[in-house]
Amino acid sequence: MSEPIWTPGAGAIARANLTRFISTVREAGAAVHDYASLHAWSVDRREEFWAALWRFCGVIADETPGRDPWRAVLVGRDRMAPPTPELGPTWFPGARLNFAENLLRHRGNGLALVSWDERGRRAALTRDELYHAVARAAAALRADGVTAGDRVAGFMPNVPETVIMMLAAASLGAIWSSCSPDFGVNGVLDRFGQIQPRVLLATAGYRYAGKTIDCMPRVREIAARIPEIERVVVVPHDGAAVDPAGLPRGVVWDEYLGSGAVAALDFVRLPFDHPLYIMYSSGTTGLPKCMVHGAGGTLLQHLKEHALHTDIGPDDRVFYFTTCGWMMWNWLVSALALGATVVLYDGAAILKRGPVMWDLAEQERLTVFGTSAKFIALTEKEGRRPRGTHDLSSLRCILSTGSPLAEHSYDYVYQHVKPDVQLSSISGGTDIISCFALGNPILPVYRGELQCRGLGMAVDVFDERGKPAPVGQAGELVCTAPFPSMPVRFWNDPDGAKYHDAYFAMFPNVWRHGDWAERTVHDGLIIHGRSDATLNPQGVRIGTAEIYRQVEQLEEIVESIVVGQDVTTEFGPDVRIVLFVRLRDGLVLDDPLRERIRERIRANASPHHVPRKIVQVPDIPRTISGKISELAVRNVIHGRPVKNTDALANPESLELYRDLLELKS
């Protein structure tokens, strides 16, 4: 059994929120004494667990003296897959709460939001300032007739105005949905066109990688093509004047909020599963699915993950590199509920002028730093050594998601970033607006592993027969019991058919998430990539992450993408592995480098993993949230259409893979 790469100290374990929670439930009669027994109890006695979490985190809701604010914790505990929205599991019926009220519960002069841009320019809002800004925005929305169930959409970068408008909408019971401003018009219409927002918050422009992008032409076209939009609120960029002419009831942000006195927020308390967010699938295989997430389930799940799994409290300064088109933005903002300072950043993660992310971590004294596995890998490729160039003494936790974190990235963080930091690779998705597996402040970190399965989450790995796979055997990541942050429904899915087909078509009454994973001897998880992108040469199923882990350690390679190509051999149909590599500037792929790639994969993975073809490309297609799009490349090399290129950040890169001579033989 391998040794841990990091172990929490006794003092940190004693102070952890998770340790305090274990003591609380044990005092109430639960037979728990460590994380393993707590997790088992949280799944087996899920009604007791979620009720205990509600009380531990002090959720604000309608109260009746001497009674819980709900009639039951869970109705339909064994109904995982809803044949119709009304017949699925129902959480906390009778409870009434407001999401924004819980996030704005902390008042005073402490910092609520800090924001940075690419140039290191900083702005900040105290808790009182944030509250009053939300109150003004809510009053403006109310004056526009916005009520519970209406949609308010944001075409916005990761800036304070986005947070303010989301909270204002939530305070009224309206539904918030957002896209980042790097989406093209069709990508926005594919999303907002389905949900028909009444109000659109839009940025006049944004800055990325040193360039300023004007958004007003796209804003005007979006507003013109969604007739249900009644109001467009434009946020100026970089101090430039904005002319809202040509927009339906267009108004500039400051004018919309006004300057007069405004009353205190009147939070509308609504049922636990009242819609809060509409999130979207990537849309690379068709029109994006619109996933509706409830206020109560989102709140409880985020409180659990922040308070217990990430150990966040009022003294923390929490950052995640994200756009408003990725669920990690929603996840990040929820840290306000625990009184933490939320740190926002708008711009590119890696700049030629210098290591802006590590500058931010040092100057803001971040305690929790969230990023992507790709950022960590590229930082390593650049030769950055933050441990020697920046004061990261305040940093206690680094979170990574978006793709599997390679083993060498664990080594890099502990050698060159901070040797005593908790490095937690986390995994979940937009579908659950949270995580299935994530970090744990009282457990060790093992190289290449996610620390644990989330509390209250009946996570397992199934083989092709739909049975639990043995430890160490890869299979489908599943969840076998209901949890509060399941979507309450899909938009425009009245009979629940799209919902059912998305998660429950493979295994009856079991959520199949679409990740290829394995459980470890430490009761952690290893994610091998998306199960729909796994490779199957000669009948051996291989996760793509196993190849990336080896290839991207080679100094010449910046990044790579691997797919399976259907071929016909003398023995019949088969799949051959094709690896595309992007090299450092000025380098050319030659036979010696190809052989080094193959030898590394053969020695450190297996002969089955070795690619038959290795091709150099100058760019790799990515979704707007930054994930490489293996399925899009696979479709292109087979001559099949990519149904929705607007979901890609760089759709032009697909042409690099079309009709390649190297793949004809």
Side-chain angles (χ1 to χ4, degrees):
M1 186 179 294
S2 61
E3 294 296 317
I5 197 169
W6 174 85
T7 303
I13 293 174
R15 293 188 299 270
N17 293 328
L18 186 52
T19 300
R20 186 161 53 90
F21 182 74
I22 290 173
S23 297
T24 299
V25 298
R26 187 168 58 232
E27 289 171 3
V32 299
H33 57 278
D34 58 9
Y35 187 77
S37 58
L38 177 66
H39 182 267
W41 173 80
S42 75
V43 171
D44 295 340
R45 309 295 290 269
R46 63 192 74 113
E47 294 90 342
E48 295 177 35
F49 165 72
W50 291 106
L53 178 73
W54 180 301
R55 299 182 186 107
F56 184 81
C57 293
V59 173
I60 300 171
D62 280 350
E63 299 281 354
T64 301
R67 289 178 48 196
D68 287 322
W70 54 78
R71 294 192 303 272
V73 173
L74 174 60
V75 175
R77 75 185 321 266
D78 298 319
R79 295 198 301 255
M80 186 66 173
T84 67
E86 294 77 21
L87 297 179
T90 302
W91 291 91
F92 294 98
R96 299 180 70 85
L97 55 79
N98 184 276
F99 182 83
E101 184 178 14
N102 279 273
L103 265 62
L104 293 170
R105 64 194 302 172
H106 300 276
R107 302 289 299 278
N109 293 323
L111 288 181
L113 293 179
V114 172
S115 63
W116 274 46
D117 67 13
E118 283 187 349
R119 287 168 282 193
R121 297 189 303 184
R122 181 183 189 270
L125 287 174
T126 67
R127 294 166 182 167
D128 281 350
E129 288 170 339
L130 176 61
Y131 177 92
H132 291 303
V134 173
R136 291 184 184 281
L141 289 173
R142 188 180 288 110
D144 274 341
V146 173
T147 61
D150 288 337
R151 277 76 65 205
V152 177
F155 180 61
M156 289 291 293
N158 187 14
V159 293
E161 291 87 349
T162 316
V163 178
I164 291 165
M165 189 62 107
M166 179 278 286
L167 290 170
S171 75
L172 303 175
I175 308 170
W176 173 261
S177 190
S178 58
C179 291
S180 56
D182 48 358
F183 276 75
V185 169
N186 289 334
V188 176
L189 294 174
D190 285 347
R191 290 157 174 80
F192 294 168
Q194 294 189 69
I195 68 168
Q196 302 170 330
R198 290 186 64 181
V199 175
L200 175 67
L201 178 72
T203 184
Y206 68 101
R207 185 178 177 87
Y208 189 85
K211 297 179 181 179
T212 297
I213 293 93
D214 180 10
C215 291
M216 289 305 293
R218 280 179 290 155
V219 172
R220 289 191 174 92
E221 185 174 353
I222 291 163
R225 293 177 63 182
I226 303 179
E228 293 81 8
I229 294 176
E230 301 171 5
R231 169 76 81 179
V232 180
V233 183
V234 181
V235 178
H237 173 67
D238 217 11
V242 175
D243 180 7
L247 295 170
R249 296 180 64 198
V251 64
V252 177
W253 173 256
D254 286 342
E255 180 185 342
Y256 191 63
L257 264 60
S259 58
V262 65
L265 274 163
D266 181 15
F267 297 104
V268 179
R269 292 179 179 173
L270 293 157
F272 182 86
D273 60 357
H274 179 79
L276 168 71
Y277 292 134
I278 296 177
M279 311 293 291
Y280 305 97
S281 64
S282 63
T284 53
T285 58
L287 204 62
K289 297 187 290 290
C290 304
M291 295 165 276
V292 182
H293 285 289
T298 302
L299 177 65
L300 264 192
Q301 187 78 296
H302 288 182
L303 285 172
K304 179 200 75 178
E305 295 185 351
H306 288 154
L308 303 186
H309 286 280
T310 318
D311 204 32
I312 292 172
D315 296 329
D316 281 298
R317 299 170 75 87
V318 183
F319 166 80
Y320 220 105
F321 177 74
T322 181
T323 71
C324 299
W326 191 22
M327 61 141 285
M328 294 312 301
W329 181 84
N330 309 74
W331 190 91
L332 168 66
V333 173
S334 290
L336 291 169
L338 294 168
T341 300
V342 169
V343 180
L344 312 174
Y345 173 74
D346 174 34
I350 295 178
L351 298 172
K352 292 182 179 179
R353 72 167 181 82
V356 64
M357 293 289 94
W358 302 116
D359 294 344
L360 186 154
E362 176 184 57
Q363 294 178 39
E364 294 300 336
R365 310 297 296 164
L366 296 182
T367 57
V368 178
F369 179 93
T371 187
S372 65
K374 178 55 63 178
F375 171 80
I376 294 174
L378 290 178
T379 302
E380 180 181 3
K381 287 285 184 183
E382 283 192 327
R384 299 283 181 190
R385 301 292 184 261
R387 180 181 179 183
T389 59
H390 291 74
D391 177 6
L392 302 178
S393 55
S394 63
L395 190 60
R396 61 171 178 80
C397 182
I398 294 177
L399 305 176
S400 170
T401 193
S403 59
L405 186 65
E407 292 182 358
H408 64 84
S409 290
Y410 284 77
D411 297 334
Y412 167 72
V413 167
Y414 283 103
Q415 291 170 12
H416 299 298
V417 179
K418 198 166 191 275
D420 60 347
V421 75
Q422 177 191 342
L423 175 59
S424 296
S425 179
I426 64 178
S427 182
T430 302
D431 313 75
I432 65 171
I433 204 166
S434 58
C435 300
F436 279 128
L438 61 170
N440 191 310
I442 68 172
L443 291 181
V445 172
Y446 291 90
R447 189 172 182 265
E449 297 185 21
L450 287 72
Q451 283 181 277
C452 66
R453 294 170 291 165
L455 290 169
M457 311 296 276
V459 176
D460 208 337
V461 174
F462 274 12
D463 63 20
E464 65 279 359
R465 301 168 302 157
K467 302 296 182 183
V471 168
Q473 177 179 310
E476 293 280 355
L477 183 71
V478 299
C479 189
T480 61
F483 51 94
S485 66
M486 294 168 62
V488 295
R489 67 176 188 274
F490 282 5
W491 200 258
N492 296 327
D493 183 29
D495 62 356
K498 294 179 184 177
Y499 191 147
H500 183 277
D501 290 348
Y503 311 116
F504 304 109
M506 179 171 286
F507 304 121
N509 208 41
V510 170
W511 179 293
R512 177 249 185 184
H513 194 56
D515 281 340
W516 193 244
E518 69 176 86
R519 292 184 58 186
T520 74
V521 294
H522 310 115
D523 208 21
L525 282 175
I526 296 173
I527 306 292
H528 295 293
R530 296 294 294 170
S531 57
D532 55 8
T534 56
L535 309 169
N536 197 26
Q538 299 176 332
V540 179
R541 198 164 183 188
I542 294 168
T544 56
E546 299 175 65
I547 295 175
Y548 298 139
R549 286 189 182 104
Q550 304 306 323
V551 173
E552 296 183 11
Q553 291 186 66
L554 294 170
E555 184 179 353
E556 296 90 339
I557 297 174
V558 176
E559 58 182 347
S560 60
I561 188 167
V562 64
V563 299
Q565 182 187 17
D566 297 333
V567 293
T568 300
T569 71
E570 59 181 310
F571 303 106
D574 199 359
V575 173
R576 70 178 176 188
I577 297 175
V578 179
L579 175 68
F580 298 95
V581 295
R582 183 166 75 88
L583 303 184
R584 290 182 178 274
D585 291 344
L587 297 183
V588 176
L589 181 66
D590 55 19
D591 287 340
L593 179 55
R594 285 189 178 93
E595 187 52 39
R596 286 177 55 217
I597 292 170
R598 290 189 173 104
E599 182 53 38
R600 182 174 187 90
I601 294 171
R602 184 181 294 109
N604 295 292
S606 84
H608 294 292
H609 293 70
V610 176
R612 295 270 297 279
K613 295 286 185 177
I614 305 176
V615 181
Q616 182 176 358
V617 289
D619 199 8
I620 287 176
R622 297 183 174 280
T623 65
I624 290 176
S625 62
K627 298 178 181 179
I628 61 174
S629 187
E630 294 157 330
L631 292 181
V633 170
R634 180 170 166 78
N635 282 337
V636 169
I637 69 170
H638 287 97
R640 297 191 290 262
V642 179
K643 295 182 180 180
N644 194 348
T645 57
D646 288 303
L648 298 175
N650 54 342
E652 68 284 351
S653 65
L654 291 178
E655 293 305 312
L656 302 170
Y657 300 81
R658 195 178 306 280
D659 298 325
L660 293 175
L661 291 177
E662 296 97 323
L663 303 188
K664 298 295 185 183
S665 58

